[in-house]
Amino acid sequence: MRIDIVSVFPDYFRVLNLGLLGKAQKRGIVSIATYDLRDWTHDIHHSVDDTPVGGGAGMVMKPEIWAECLDEVLGDNEDANASTADASGSTVDVPILIFPNPSAPLFTQETATELSCSSRRLVFGCGRYEGIDARVPEYYRTVGRPLTADHGENAPRQPIEVREYSIGDYVLNGGEVAACAMIEAITRLLPGFMGNPDSIVKESYTSEPLLEYPQYTRPTTWRGLAVPEILMSGDHGRVDRFRRDQSLAKTAVIRPDLLGQLECAKLSKQDRKTLIALGWTVNGQHPRKA
Ligand code: ADE
């Protein structure tokens, strides 16, 4: 997968060279390039923002700077004629353009899973201040990226998929941290990224809207706190059941909204028993707090 990131703080993305993501880049599973938006400015101050039309606090990022930059980044379609799938398994080269935005749909595990296989090219545009002029996403969605080296307004263009996502109901200083979070969530799902792909299968949110059960390692007693006895029983059936019950109980307390999304028809007899004991009813389409 190829990932391009545009920001006024390209250094933010050095964190992506650490750990498993750094290794994945060295192994060719993902390649990440960053661009400094200010390289596309023309004035002596390298200004990228202006006051909001209609008034109001803060500054808005100028569309013409973003468009000059994005035309160049999105117009570079060196992979466009590749016919074989890369490590991500996707053969689609047309980039998906993503703008982190606190006023957008929530980015979830489902989004990460879908994006990890829907294109082998993602371009992130990270805004600062009050965000990017709203015409920028609209332009690439409707008019699109240039298809030739000529990036002028009359160049042939191809509309592309443009998405905007929030990573949570809080406001950050800009899209950089949000882009890092999304990139990590997406790339770790690429085939070959994880040494042990099983570690993804049982994680929170992966197959069902449930939080993961608590995990323990040795020593089995530490500072007077013992690991639950059953985990040392060697009885895999009982261990699985214990962990499943812990997941259900933890989700009921911390994220009851998630528990309400489970499909009653897909619950086992024991799941239903556990949920009833936790004070939930399971006779409708979804569990409800009794
Ligand atoms: N930019 C600022 N806050 C954000 C958020 N919560 N999600 C995505 N982008 C953002």
Side-chain angles (χ1 to χ4, degrees), residues 82-213:
S83 55
T84 49
D86 68 0
S88 73
S90 172
T91 51
V92 182
D93 298 301
V94 179
I96 296 179
L97 177 57
I98 301 172
F99 294 102
N101 181 347
S103 309
L106 211 54
F107 179 91
T108 64
Q109 186 64 31
E110 203 178 340
T111 322
T113 308
E114 188 252 314
L115 281 169
S116 71
C117 52
S118 53
S119 172
R120 51 189 215 172
R121 184 149 183 230
L122 304 178
V123 177
F124 285 84
C126 302
R128 286 253 137 191
Y129 321 112
E130 291 303 308
I132 304 171
D133 186 301
R135 290 167 293 181
V136 175
E138 181 190 336
Y139 182 84
Y140 287 95
R141 199 176 279 134
T142 54
V143 182
R145 66 165 180 163
L147 286 172
T148 57
D150 166 20
H151 298 165
E153 271 188 48
N154 297 324
R157 285 176 183 264
Q158 171 193 43
I160 57 167
E161 210 175 320
V162 180
R163 315 248 192 122
E164 293 177 78
Y165 288 115
S166 165
I167 60 157
D169 294 339
Y170 40 80
V171 180
L172 304 165
N173 288 335
E176 286 76 9
V177 168
C180 284
M182 290 190 251
I183 289 166
E184 186 161 316
I186 295 163
T187 53
R188 65 195 293 282
L189 300 175
L190 294 173
F193 184 100
M194 284 283 175
N196 175 9
D198 282 355
S199 50
I200 288 177
V201 176
K202 288 212 175 113
E203 279 173 345
S204 299
Y205 309 114
T206 306
S207 52
E208 282 181 300
L210 274 185
L211 303 184
E212 199 182 3
Y213 47 81

Side-chain angles (χ1 to χ4, degrees), residues 1-51:
M1 174 177 274
R2 170 178 170 184
I3 297 177
D4 297 290
I5 310 166
V6 180
S7 159
V8 288
F9 294 118
D11 283 351
Y12 244 104
F13 300 96
R14 286 202 205 157
V15 291
L16 302 178
N17 296 328
L18 305 175
L20 284 175
L21 189 42
K23 277 195 194 137
Q25 289 185 69
K26 288 199 184 107
R27 286 159 54 214
I29 290 170
V30 55
S31 76
I32 299 179
T34 56
Y35 307 86
D36 187 343
L37 181 70
R38 291 193 201 276
D39 290 347
W40 279 268
T41 55
H42 299 289
D43 66 317
I44 179 167
H45 302 295
H46 301 290
S47 31
V48 290
D49 57 350
D50 202 343
T51 53

